[in-house]
Amino acid sequence: MKPARTPADPDVERTLRLRLGLVSSLLTGIGMTGLHAAQTPPLTLSPRPTWTVEGDPELPGFAAIVAPAGDVNRDGCADVLVGHLGQGGRSGRVLAYYGSTNGLPSAPSWIGRAPDDRRDHYFGAFAAGVGDVNGDGFDDILAKSDASRDLPAPRVDELYLYPGSATGLVSGVTWRFRAPHFAPGGIHTAGRAGDVNRDGYGDFFVVASPETGGTTLLLFHGSTNGPASEPAAQWHFAESHPNARVRAAAAGDINQDGFDDLIVGDLFWSDGRGWPGRVLVFAGSTNGLRSEPLWTASLPLDASHFAREVHEQSLGHSVTAGDFNNDGFLDVVAGAPHGEHHDYYEGLVFAWRGSLAGPATHPCWRKEGNSMKAVFGWEVSTGDLNGDGFADLAVGAPGFSANAAYSSAVFVFHGSVEGLASRPAWSFGGGLGRQTIGSNLAFAGDVNGDGFADLLVGDHDFQRNQKVVGRALVFYGDPAGLANSAGLSLTKPLLTTLQQIHDRTPFGWKLGGAGGLLAGTVGFFVAWRRALGRLRASERAAARAAERERLARDIHDHLGANLGEIALWTELTANAPLLPDSLKAPLARVSQSARSALESISRLVWTLDPAHDSLEEFAAHLTATAGRLLEAAGTAFTADIPDPLPTLALPAETREHLDMMTKEVLRNVVQHAQARTVTLQLRIEARQLHLTIADDGRGFAADSPPRKQHGATKGHGLRNLKTRAEALAGRLEIVSSPGRGTAVRIVVPLPKT
């Protein structure tokens, strides 16, 4: 087990890193160059990797590719590969670093060269671990010679298989694949496919472009003698795009049938409008991969209006699978580095949740680069960095920029019961002006045998002393995940959003937007003025209500009390035994006048008090008034009032007029109608109040003289009713006939709320 690391003091660590950087620069300056490793990289703004190896400034092309090798010597620790592409007439190499409980070594454990060591083969353009293809218990690797550059005819790419052994990779090639029918440079990539036919031997894929166009995916099965000379199966993707490419990655057993499956990214698949790309999963079987895909998904989002007319979003440029929620089913991840939602070529990454039936139809997780040309999702890889049982996801964004400090980045998202986190738990950034961090990364496996996956990152454009040397980095996992995150965020600053909208918007749109903004400003000002007017009107209404409440209280407490006292004392005096009879009658009239004035005061107080403004309070008052007047006359009374009533406030003037009109009608009923029953009905219809008082009395003819209508003496009562109704902008309706009673309807508009 690797000993636990103790966090260093930040100031001490910064000083040590600066001194180590100066020492390294000094050694380089006096000629001590060449392939070397350091446990601490030069001073950067990003987290410090646990292991770093750099190339030779005199031999460019170092870290052209970095890849996991598997466990080539079966010691329980994963190994890594670093490609050193030959340039300038120099032969390329593939370097292997064997893991151990002490981590990775500073010097390469194995150096592989092309079989005939021809310098013009550009060996090292590609290398990858492919698992145990011959069943001997040791993982094997593939390496490629790229014959597309500066070679005399015939220019043919070649793949070579180097087997593992107890001492590591052997120097001799046990299998080679030449592509005579493929265009020069036509072998693009190769990699581990797992055991797709469950025969105990590792299988691998090769992606190449034939001379006839399109892209072909070749599948080779392993056996005791290694892979066959010809592929076991192949799929041709014949899209017309000139740069047609296919990416693939081992998926594990996605559908839980016991056979490993393969994820394929068809990144230039066309939907008829452009090349958004798609992702496919081919399921394994006894005979190998099935010819038809188990599952297919295309880009879930449409191109934004910032997209080019013919848009390439490249879904499937990177593919991987991992169980991010630890439910026992592998989830599929695919990157679309040229995808965009609001930013040109920002890059999108999607995850589809796995199940017994295969991946879901719609993605369960999506993340955007949120930066112009970030190409987020150029590479993706999965592994369990913190050993919690949930797979984690690493995403490369070689075009990412933030605060002018970085120009490329790698982000790590942790898995959990809910799936992938929405925010990165860790990030690493490249230096300003370099766009290689994130273009080449992979989970290397467990290189130090501590039970935690480690992250491998290539930086082939890394410079020291203004010379490109390239470097490979490994960040060791531990229970807390990767340490010392750079803290890069994928959240777009508001000012950046506004600037991008400004830069991409045509002038005509801007002009229209300015006009719309001006119109909106004017509209807002008008609306604000109206709202202010309503607020002031509300304040004035509140002030009036407060003043009405004060007046009602003062009248009740002072004038009402004085009148009540006058009525009481005059009644007591009038009943005094020694009072002369000549004074009793005047005192009785005084008492009656005081009582009458007190009743008027009570009505006035009721009218003034805003507590009685509600429609419900007014209906209760009318019911009580009618019941009191009719009960004294021995007339039955029925109130027909809905429950509940609308929440409305009636102005004092409206309440006063309606109250007086109701009393006038009821007095006429008591005095002249000879009715047995009276019904008071209240309705609210079309913003109008309908008050109807109906009796079953003697009624009258419609053409009777006014002074006889409904017993109104000399017609004054009827004129008063009409006058009050007109004062409220309402109307008065009277329906009557002899022997059938009378109905008086008062209709008045309600105030606007």
Side-chain angles (χ1 to χ4, degrees):
M1 296 291 290
K2 185 183 69 173
R5 295 193 296 272
T6 303
D9 180 79
D11 294 331
V12 174
E13 183 179 8
R14 191 180 303 112
T15 302
L16 289 175
R17 293 172 67 188
L18 179 59
R19 291 178 179 176
L20 286 171
L22 292 175
V23 170
S24 178
S25 300
L26 178 61
L27 292 175
T28 304
I30 62 176
M32 298 181 65
T33 59
L35 189 63
H36 61 281
Q39 292 299 313
T40 306
L43 184 65
T44 67
L45 297 176
S46 278
R48 182 178 65 185
T50 314
W51 177 85
T52 304
V53 62
E54 296 179 7
D56 187 337
E58 303 302 323
L59 299 173
F62 184 74
I65 185 73
V66 296
D71 187 1
V72 298
N73 56 359
R74 203 170 62 185
D75 63 353
C77 298
D79 311 315
V80 300
L81 301 173
V82 179
H84 194 171
L85 181 64
Q87 292 182 358
R90 294 182 173 87
S91 175
R93 300 176 294 177
V94 173
L95 312 175
Y97 296 82
Y98 298 159
S100 70
T101 54
N102 295 320
L104 294 170
S106 58
S109 309
W110 176 85
I111 300 177
R113 295 181 173 85
D116 51 7
D117 200 21
R118 291 178 57 184
R119 293 190 304 179
D120 54 3
H121 268 76
Y122 284 86
F123 184 76
F126 176 81
V130 292
D132 183 9
V133 299
N134 58 359
D136 62 356
F138 302 96
D139 287 340
D140 311 314
I141 73 163
L142 282 176
K144 170 192 168 186
S145 283
D146 187 351
S148 64
R149 312 175 199 177
D150 306 327
L151 285 180
R155 292 177 291 181
V156 179
D157 287 5
E158 280 191 301
L159 278 176
Y160 309 105
L161 180 70
Y162 295 86
S165 70
T167 58
L169 295 170
V170 301
S171 59
V173 173
T174 60
W175 177 88
R176 68 172 63 195
F177 175 72
R178 305 191 70 180
H181 301 296
F182 290 84
I187 297 179
H188 304 299
T189 185
R192 185 176 65 88
D195 187 1
V196 299
N197 56 357
R198 203 170 61 185
D199 61 355
Y201 300 96
D203 309 315
F204 61 87
F205 64 86
V206 177
V207 176
S209 292
E211 293 177 330
T212 54
T215 304
T216 299
L217 174 69
L218 310 171
L219 178 69
F220 291 87
H221 288 168
S223 69
T224 304
N225 300 319
S229 59
E230 296 296 328
Q234 56 183 311
W235 294 261
H236 187 65
F237 300 84
E239 273 65 44
S240 59
H241 193 282
N243 297 320
R245 295 290 188 272
V246 169
R247 300 295 176 93
D253 187 4
I254 285 184
N255 58 351
Q256 299 288 307
D257 62 353
F259 299 92
D260 286 341
D261 309 315
L262 187 70
I263 309 176
V264 177
D266 187 5
L267 58 154
F268 288 119
W269 171 79
S270 175
D271 62 355
R273 298 173 298 173
W275 294 275
R278 62 176 177 171
V279 185
L280 309 95
V281 171
F282 289 89
S285 70
T286 305
N287 298 321
L289 293 178
R290 301 183 186 276
S291 59
E292 295 299 323
L294 167 72
W295 173 84
T296 303
S298 56
L299 194 73
L301 295 178
D302 291 334
S304 71
H305 63 275
F306 298 126
R308 294 179 298 175
E309 182 177 351
V310 179
H311 187 47
E312 304 164 358
Q313 304 206 54
S314 307
L315 179 67
H317 188 280
S318 56
V319 290
T320 188
D323 187 0
F324 303 113
N325 58 355
N326 197 19
D327 64 352
F329 299 100
L330 293 168
D331 311 313
V332 173
V333 174
H338 295 154
E340 56 193 23
H341 189 205
H342 295 296
D343 297 275
Y344 181 69
Y345 276 6
E346 62 177 312
L348 310 169
V349 178
F350 302 92
W352 291 265
R353 182 159 294 151
S355 69
L356 190 61
T361 303
H362 302 288
C364 62
W365 184 85
R366 184 192 79 201
K367 188 57 59 178
E368 303 171 6
N370 276 330
S371 173
M372 284 277 287
K373 298 182 180 180
V375 290
F376 181 73
W378 186 270
E379 288 289 348
V380 294
S381 186
T382 56
D384 188 0
L385 286 167
N386 52 8
D388 61 356
F390 301 94
D392 307 313
L393 176 67
V395 181
F400 177 84
S401 61
N403 301 325
Y406 301 96
S407 57
S408 55
V410 174
F411 297 90
V412 170
F413 299 85
H414 283 172
S416 69
V417 176
E418 291 79 20
L420 286 170
S422 60
R423 295 183 179 182
W426 181 89
S427 57
F428 175 76
L432 184 63
R434 301 202 320 275
Q435 295 189 348
T436 58
I437 292 292
S439 63
N440 193 0
L441 64 87
F443 277 90
D446 183 7
V447 300
N448 57 355
D450 63 355
F452 305 101
D454 307 310
L455 181 62
L456 173 64
V457 176
D459 184 7
H460 65 82
D461 196 31
F462 177 73
Q463 297 182 14
R464 184 179 293 282
N465 297 329
Q466 299 182 344
K467 290 186 177 181
V468 176
V469 296
R471 61 175 177 170
L473 317 169
V474 170
F475 300 87
Y476 290 169
D478 61 30
L482 300 181
N484 303 319
S485 170
L488 302 179
S489 173
L490 288 169
T491 302
K492 188 189 307 177
L494 177 61
L495 291 179
T496 302
T497 302
L498 296 176
Q499 180 64 40
Q500 290 176 355
I501 293 175
H502 171 74
D503 292 342
R504 299 169 187 160
T505 305
F507 177 76
W509 288 19
K510 293 178 184 178
L511 185 62
L517 180 61
L518 178 61
T521 302
V522 172
F524 171 78
F525 178 75
V526 172
W528 175 75
R529 292 286 296 177
R530 290 177 177 174
L532 183 61
R534 289 194 296 269
L535 177 61
R536 289 175 176 173
S538 177
E539 290 175 346
R540 288 193 295 268
R544 286 195 298 267
E547 182 63 18
R548 286 170 52 200
E549 184 178 2
R550 185 190 65 79
L551 286 174
R553 185 174 57 252
D554 289 347
I555 291 173
H556 177 272
D557 293 346
H558 299 292
L559 185 56
N562 292 336
L563 286 172
E565 186 176 0
I566 290 172
L568 178 61
W569 280 109
T570 52
E571 289 175 359
L572 290 175
T573 304
N575 294 326
L578 301 178
L579 183 70
D581 293 338
S582 59
L583 296 178
K584 289 183 178 182
L587 287 175
R589 285 195 298 272
V590 171
S591 176
Q592 183 180 359
S593 298
R595 293 291 180 187
S596 178
L598 187 59
E599 183 180 352
S600 299
I601 290 296
S602 297
R603 186 172 64 251
L604 178 61
V605 168
W606 177 82
T607 302
L608 285 175
D609 192 350
H612 303 300
D613 282 355
S614 69
L615 179 59
E616 184 176 0
E617 180 74 19
F618 174 70
H621 171 76
L622 287 186
T623 303
T625 299
R628 186 174 59 253
L629 291 175
L630 296 173
E631 182 181 3
T635 305
F637 169 64
T638 301
D640 181 10
I641 298 175
D643 185 20
L645 285 167
T647 303
L648 295 172
L650 295 177
E653 181 183 10
T654 301
R655 291 190 291 120
E656 182 181 9
H657 281 302
L658 290 176
D659 180 49
M660 296 301 296
M661 295 170 76
T662 301
K663 290 178 179 178
E664 179 73 23
V665 172
L666 291 174
R667 277 196 295 267
N668 288 336
V669 170
V670 171
Q671 294 174 9
H672 307 288
Q674 299 177 5
R676 293 184 302 274
T677 60
V678 174
T679 300
L680 186 146
Q681 184 188 71
L682 186 65
R683 292 288 186 270
I684 304 298
E685 299 175 1
R687 299 298 305 170
Q688 291 180 327
L689 185 148
H690 295 249
L691 176 61
T692 304
I693 302 172
D695 64 68
D696 60 355
R698 62 179 183 171
F700 57 88
D703 55 354
S704 298
R707 67 183 54 160
K708 293 182 180 180
Q709 289 184 4
H710 210 36
T713 306
K714 299 182 180 180
H716 292 306
L718 179 59
R719 285 199 301 271
N720 289 340
L721 291 175
K722 288 184 177 180
T723 300
R724 290 184 182 277
E726 292 171 355
L728 297 176
R731 67 182 187 273
L732 178 69
E733 300 174 358
I734 299 177
V735 178
S736 183
S737 60
R740 295 188 178 183
T742 303
V744 178
R745 178 178 293 117
I746 304 166
V747 181
V748 297
L750 291 171
K752 295 181 180 179
T753 55

